[in-house]
Amino acid sequence: KKKNVALVLMMMDDELDEKSMEEDDDHVGQLLALHQVDPGQGLSWERARSLTTSQGSNVQTPPLKLPAFICCLLPCLMSTPGMRRFQAAIPITAIVLRDGEWCDLDTSALVVSDIVRLERGAAAPADLRVLEANDDFLIDDEALEGRDATVAAKKRSDFVPLTARCVRGDALLVVAAIGDDVELVRRIRQGNWPPPGAPPLEPLVEDYDYV
């Protein structure tokens, strides 16, 4: 009997651990709850300004970090393969939900817990987590991985890294990391980006519509 009781207790512990893991995997729920974001309204402009003060701007450190005057004196430095790939990969604008309205926003103004929409041809403006997506939503991580890396990101909380391009469908996503906290910068710091031997990256054409 004692063994049976111990076995039942072990099974209960395992179930609790699994439930905790499932709850921990809901990154989107945690982000929205942390900043009290209504998925139908997004952040308020006032709240976003407050978060910008504490989080900083969504600007990434490039592979070649040099003072601006040196880049002006030696513009060839901006033409290295790494810098060209970096400039081609980072989007300039994003479709963001603020105060219940979709707007075209400079990516540098994004904050953690912003809700963004990613459509065909657009690139992720930060590290994102899926809130909801079409069944045919498909992204390509070639800018990050250096090779064709088409991935279906349909499930809630699926990870979509900065620079990933939407090749099919569309989705609503929550900003999970900005600035130098993104996966791209982590790889740059480790010396793993740009990927060796990666083919040139086609520049983004940011010409999508929104309502």
Side-chain angles (χ1 to χ4, degrees), residues 188-199:
I188 290 173
R189 287 173 172 169
Q190 292 177 343
N192 297 327
W193 200 95

Side-chain angles (χ1 to χ4, degrees), residues 84-95:
R84 287 202 305 269
R85 189 176 188 83
F86 182 82
Q87 292 164 349
I90 305 294
I92 299 172
T93 59
I95 304 174

Side-chain angles (χ1 to χ4, degrees), residues 67-89:
F69 76 91
I70 292 181
C71 293
C72 291
L73 292 173
L74 299 172
C76 59
L77 295 176
M78 301 301 291
S79 299
T80 62
M83 289 300 292
R84 287 202 305 269
R85 189 176 188 83
F86 182 82
Q87 292 164 349

Side-chain angles (χ1 to χ4, degrees), residues 5-72:
V5 170
L7 181 61
V8 169
L9 290 173
M10 287 175 64
M11 291 174 65
M12 288 175 65
D13 286 341
D14 289 341
E15 288 177 0
L16 288 172
D17 288 342
E18 289 177 5
K19 185 176 180 182
S20 297
M21 287 176 66
E22 289 175 0
E23 291 174 349
D24 288 341
D25 285 343
D26 186 13
H27 300 283
V28 165
Q30 294 171 10
L31 287 167
L32 297 178
L34 179 64
H35 297 294
Q36 299 177 332
V37 182
D38 179 349
Q41 293 292 313
L43 285 170
S44 68
W45 288 98
E46 181 180 0
R47 178 61 173 153
R49 282 191 291 270
S50 174
L51 290 174
T52 298
T53 301
S54 59
Q55 297 177 7
S57 299
N58 180 35
V59 177
Q60 288 73 39
T61 301
L64 190 61
K65 185 179 179 182
L66 293 170
F69 76 91
I70 292 181
C71 293
C72 291

Side-chain angles (χ1 to χ4, degrees), residues 153-173:
K154 304 174 184 177
K155 295 187 296 181
R156 181 181 170 95
S157 290
D158 274 354
F159 181 62
V160 177
L162 169 70
T163 74
R165 299 187 183 188
C166 175
V167 294
R168 194 175 68 197
D170 60 79
L172 301 183
L173 308 99

